[in-house]
Amino acid sequence: MDTEARAAVLKRSAFFHGLNAAIVDKIAAAALERLLKPNETLFQQGDPSTHHYIVAWGRLRLDQTTPDGKNIVLRFMGPGDLVGSVAVFRSIPYPATPTAVEETRVFQWTSDRMNELMSEYPVLAAKAMAMMGGRIGELQERLQQISTQQVERRIAAAILRIVAQSGRKTDVGVEIPFPLSRQDLAEMTGTTLHTVSRTLSAWIDEGVLEGKRSSHLVVLKPHRLMQIAEQA
Amino acid sequence: MDTEARAAVLKRSAFFHGLNAAIVDKIAAAALERLLKPNETLFQQGDPSTHHYIVAWGRLRLDQTTPDGKNIVLRFMGPGDLVGSVAVFRSIPYPATPTAVEETRVFQWTSDRMNELMSEYPVLAAKAMAMMGGRIGELQERLQQISTQQVERRIAAAILRIVAQSGRKTDVGVEIPFPLSRQDLAEMTGTTLHTVSRTLSAWIDEGVLEGKRSSHLVVLKPHRLMQIAEQA
DNA sequence: CGTGTACTTGAGGGAGTTCAAAAATTGTGG
DNA sequence: CCACAATTTTTGAACTCCCTCAAGTACACG
């Protein structure tokens, strides 16, 4: 990818959106790139945090492994999302592992380089705070859901969250444009793949969803899912 | 409280720690104060976010109410903690309600005033990011715990977290220096007060804890609690 | 003291996990 | 292109942790 193409991607990201075009060009020129194949990891949980990344295209799944070997999915990251920055700002090792779920291209900057950029363009600090604030809001929402809601509602909410972040409208409904396994959904909602499987089967029977293994999930009746997610 | 006393408090807070003394004095002079009696709220969830606050002394419980009337405790805030800032930075209504659990004094600054301070002293932006990063880390930890661990471990972890943030060593153990009900613990760990009550009763029998209603909880055997929290 | 609030304790039930196995789908190598 | 292996998904059955429901108890505060 050349600098111009990179700049075009960055201009669309929330982080750099609205910056003067010349500045974005300069930032784009300072970036290095990396291309990940499916199941490749960008870095490992526990590695020293050295770089900021932005997803150009593709999709990453952010996993956290517990000391006793269990796994949770913190979130999926798509084009424009910042990866690794929170750890770099805190000067702590990366707390999770980003894995490509499809071919994915990312841009990267060293911590020092990004610090220079941020002191040169203070608006970037505000953008970073907005990003972190959004992350906090999302985590609080999930904590509330998992604390108070039944499994079915949590699964519905998880699917709707992904749809809101990455959904693509088709003629029959909304498609989740990357592979999403029952295991992934289980690790996003704090349940087991068995329960997810049973729940999705019921929804497929009901005509709310469609999509089998390795074909992308399609939500046929988003309204019905919202109803399930919000039922008192 | 006079400006000098306020400045002394601010210098001890993580947010202003390390700043030039003259600057902190100026910031302290710009603050207004508010004194809350037990059960008074600083603001209400849903109110427009207009001010940043810092706890001078006392203790706040940060509650979030769900649309269907359930309640969760996001965290307790003590001296030096920033309250409300995340919402102000995001320009969204306060997402939760801080309630005093004991007599509490806070300082406050308007959003505009804080923006001036932050552009005048850019290091404050870095401090704010560190604070938000810490909040993200704490939320991710809790999400992981509630997703993968049994209730007993979560309750132990919640108590240990409070002990780490606010514990006071005494001759017999570590005291939690503010009233903490079973209901509070239940709303922190995503369980019911019944289960918390049973669990604490068992621990009191075992000699791990002590403290009845409205007297402060004392952890007699922190090591034992850590063992429970970390058991595979 | 009396009333309200917090806490304790018991019994029963149910949502969801765990264990187990089969079925479906994808990938692979001849 | 087909057979076989690997992986994901489905489904069944039993169990269990924890919630729900229901009283009763103890403590604090007016």
Side-chain angles (χ1 to χ4, degrees):
Chain A
M1 242 171 149
D2 61 15
T3 295
E4 200 175 325
R6 287 210 293 263
V9 169
L10 293 185
K11 276 166 195 160
R12 265 180 265 117
S13 74
F15 192 57
F16 293 110
H17 186 80
L19 256 76
N20 177 302
I23 295 171
V24 177
D25 290 341
K26 197 177 145 193
I27 293 170
L32 292 180
E33 294 185 30
R34 202 161 144 208
L35 186 62
L36 300 175
K37 298 203 174 95
N39 293 318
E40 261 192 285
T41 59
L42 187 53
F43 50 74
Q44 294 293 320
Q45 176 176 343
D47 286 352
S49 59
T50 55
H51 290 77
H52 300 257
Y53 302 86
I54 279 192
V55 177
W57 44 258
R59 196 77 44 178
L60 298 169
R61 185 190 60 234
L62 191 60
D63 292 320
Q64 191 170 53
T65 302
T66 72
D68 50 306
K70 290 182 179 169
N71 215 61
I72 72 164
V73 175
L74 288 176
R75 61 201 319 267
F76 284 86
M77 329 274 289
D81 277 328
L82 275 170
V83 186
S85 296
V86 175
V88 176
F89 288 141
R90 299 184 65 195
S91 305
I92 60 167
Y94 293 120
T97 302
T99 305
V101 296
E102 58 184 7
E103 195 169 64
T104 299
R105 182 173 290 278
V106 300
F107 305 145
Q108 65 177 44
W109 297 265
T110 64
S111 172
D112 291 344
R113 191 84 192 82
M114 183 61 81
N115 284 341
E116 288 169 28
L117 291 172
M118 285 185 52
S119 57
E120 199 168 348
Y121 310 110
V123 67
L124 287 182
K127 300 267 190 182
M129 295 212 301
M131 180 273 292
M132 292 172 92
R135 219 60 78 78
I136 289 173
E138 190 180 319
L139 285 166
Q140 286 178 348
E141 185 193 320
R142 288 182 61 186
L143 194 61
Q144 191 204 68
Q145 287 175 352
I146 205 169
S147 298
T148 65
Q149 299 177 359
Q150 311 226 100
V151 169
E152 189 183 34
R153 292 183 64 181
R154 304 204 303 261
I155 297 172
I159 292 175
L160 288 172
R161 198 180 319 118
I162 292 174
V163 162
Q165 287 171 354
S166 320
R168 273 190 206 157
K169 282 205 178 100
T170 70
D171 44 354
V172 291
V174 192
E175 185 191 0
I176 293 173
F178 57 88
L180 178 70
S181 71
R182 323 281 147 153
Q183 181 77 38
D184 291 338
L185 278 168
E187 290 177 359
M188 292 183 75
T189 53
T191 182
T192 63
L193 81 160
H194 307 276
T195 300
V196 172
S197 178
R198 281 181 240 271
T199 306
L200 294 201
S201 293
W203 289 343
I204 288 169
D205 288 350
E206 218 189 303
V208 177
L209 293 179
E210 108 187 343
K212 328 181 175 186
R213 157 149 167 191
S214 119
S215 73
H216 298 164
L217 224 66
V218 179
V219 181
L220 302 175
K221 300 181 185 170
H223 184 73
R224 173 78 185 114
L225 264 198
M226 287 172 58
Q227 191 184 326
I228 293 168
E230 283 156 22
Q231 87 207 157
Chain B
M1 242 171 148
D2 60 17
T3 296
E4 200 175 323
R6 287 209 293 264
V9 169
L10 295 185
K11 277 167 195 159
R12 264 180 266 118
S13 75
F15 192 58
F16 292 111
H17 186 79
L19 257 76
N20 177 301
I23 295 171
V24 177
D25 288 341
K26 196 177 146 193
I27 293 170
L32 292 180
E33 294 185 30
R34 205 161 141 206
L35 186 62
L36 300 175
K37 299 205 174 92
N39 293 318
E40 261 193 284
T41 58
L42 187 54
F43 49 75
Q44 295 292 321
Q45 176 176 343
D47 287 352
S49 59
T50 54
H51 290 78
H52 300 257
Y53 301 87
I54 279 193
V55 177
W57 43 258
R59 197 75 47 176
L60 298 168
R61 186 190 59 236
L62 191 60
D63 291 319
Q64 191 170 54
T65 302
T66 71
D68 51 307
K70 290 183 180 170
N71 216 62
I72 73 164
V73 175
L74 288 176
R75 62 198 319 264
F76 284 88
M77 329 274 290
D81 278 329
L82 275 170
V83 186
S85 296
V86 175
V88 176
F89 289 141
R90 298 184 65 195
S91 305
I92 60 167
Y94 294 120
T97 302
T99 306
V101 296
E102 58 184 6
E103 195 169 63
T104 298
R105 183 173 289 277
V106 300
F107 305 144
Q108 65 177 44
W109 296 264
T110 64
S111 172
D112 290 344
R113 191 83 192 83
M114 182 61 82
N115 285 342
E116 289 169 29
L117 290 172
M118 285 184 52
S119 57
E120 197 167 350
Y121 310 110
V123 67
L124 286 183
K127 299 269 189 181
M129 295 210 301
M131 180 275 292
M132 291 172 91
R135 218 61 76 77
I136 289 173
E138 190 180 318
L139 285 166
Q140 286 179 347
E141 185 194 318
R142 287 182 62 185
L143 194 62
Q144 192 202 67
Q145 287 175 353
I146 206 169
S147 299
T148 65
Q149 298 177 0
Q150 311 228 97
V151 171
E152 189 183 32
R153 291 183 64 180
R154 304 204 304 261
I155 298 172
I159 293 174
L160 289 172
R161 197 179 322 117
I162 293 173
V163 162
Q165 287 171 352
S166 319
R168 273 190 206 157
K169 281 204 178 103
T170 71
D171 45 355
V172 292
V174 192
E175 184 191 1
I176 293 174
F178 56 89
L180 178 71
S181 70
R182 324 279 146 150
Q183 181 76 38
D184 291 338
L185 278 169
E187 289 177 358
M188 291 183 75
T189 53
T191 181
T192 62
L193 82 159
H194 308 275
T195 299
V196 172
S197 179
R198 281 181 241 272
T199 306
L200 294 201
S201 293
W203 288 344
I204 288 169
D205 288 350
E206 217 188 305
V208 178
L209 293 179
E210 112 186 340
K212 330 180 173 185
R213 159 149 164 185
S214 118
S215 74
H216 299 163
L217 227 68
V218 180
V219 181
L220 303 174
K221 301 181 184 170
H223 184 71
R224 174 78 185 113
L225 264 197
M226 287 171 59
Q227 192 184 325
I228 293 168
E230 284 156 23
Q231 87 207 158

